Amino acid sequence: VIGSDDRSDIALIKIEGKNLPTLQLGNSKETEVGEWVLAFGNPYGNGHTMTKGIISAKGRAIGEINKFPLMQTEAPINPGNSGGPLLNLRCEVIGINSAIRANANGVGFAIPINMVKQLLPMLLRDGKVIRSALGVRIADVRELSEADKKELGITGDKGAVIEYVANGGPA
């Protein structure tokens, strides 16, 4: 393992060998909703498989799965497929199979390859991803009670407030 990042569930590994096959990394930003994709993996540890489907949505922010927007596909992604490539029909890797929605049939998610491309230089150089932080927790004004708005002198529903400042943090 050269480096890993728990938040994105990405690891960079080095495999020793000669003449190993490789895949080209594509551009997930150019991927269109409705585009056909192929998902590869090893579901349930039963051997390698390929499933097909389409990109059904992009930019899914699913907090319980990850902290960044994912690509949604209805190409079956089963337990054990995580970490396998999601390919477009040009055989370019456009995502990394990441998760399934347990309470929905046929809804899977992949980490966009463009995000992975951003992380790779840090994983290679530092062995981890270093992220910026403000050291504050921010709340949407719309989430405040009327009493809190009045106490803070806020009128309207636009803007944000700093709820918390981390002791010794950057802020």
Side-chain angles (χ1 to χ4, degrees):
V1 175
I2 303 294
S4 64
D5 179 51
D6 289 341
R7 181 175 178 195
S8 63
D9 195 24
I10 296 293
L12 177 61
I13 61 173
K14 180 178 180 179
I15 300 172
E16 298 289 342
K18 294 182 181 190
N19 301 323
L20 297 173
T22 60
L23 292 168
Q24 295 295 315
L25 300 183
N27 185 343
S28 53
K29 186 174 182 180
E30 293 177 358
T31 303
E32 301 281 341
V33 171
E35 185 174 335
W36 283 94
V37 293
L38 308 169
F40 291 83
N42 183 11
Y44 306 106
N46 291 327
H48 300 301
T49 63
M50 179 199 76
T51 58
K52 66 177 174 55
I54 62 167
I55 296 294
S56 48
K58 289 175 64 176
R60 290 285 195 223
I62 302 172
E64 68 268 18
I65 295 175
N66 253 327
K67 304 292 185 201
F68 49 85
L70 299 166
M71 292 190 300
Q72 180 179 318
T73 179
E74 48 80 89
I77 296 176
N78 297 302
N81 278 19
S82 293
L86 184 69
L87 305 180
N88 60 22
L89 294 185
R90 293 180 297 284
C91 292
E92 299 168 327
V93 179
I94 57 165
I96 297 178
N97 302 328
S98 179
I100 57 172
R101 190 71 181 219
N103 61 352
N105 242 351
V107 178
F109 300 95
I111 301 165
I113 202 63
N114 287 17
M115 174 173 202
V116 176
K117 288 179 187 179
Q118 290 176 351
L119 302 179
L120 288 177
M122 283 185 274
L123 292 173
L124 185 60
R125 182 185 64 236
D126 303 320
K128 61 184 176 182
V129 174
I130 300 168
R131 291 183 171 82
S132 303
L134 293 175
V136 297
R137 184 172 55 229
I138 299 172
D140 190 312
V141 167
R142 293 174 291 192
E143 296 173 6
L144 297 176
S145 68
E146 289 303 318
D148 286 342
K149 285 184 193 178
K150 184 175 180 180
E151 183 179 332
L152 294 169
I154 297 172
T155 58
D157 285 332
K158 293 184 179 178
V161 294
I162 295 175
E163 284 187 317
Y164 169 80
V165 178
N167 195 14

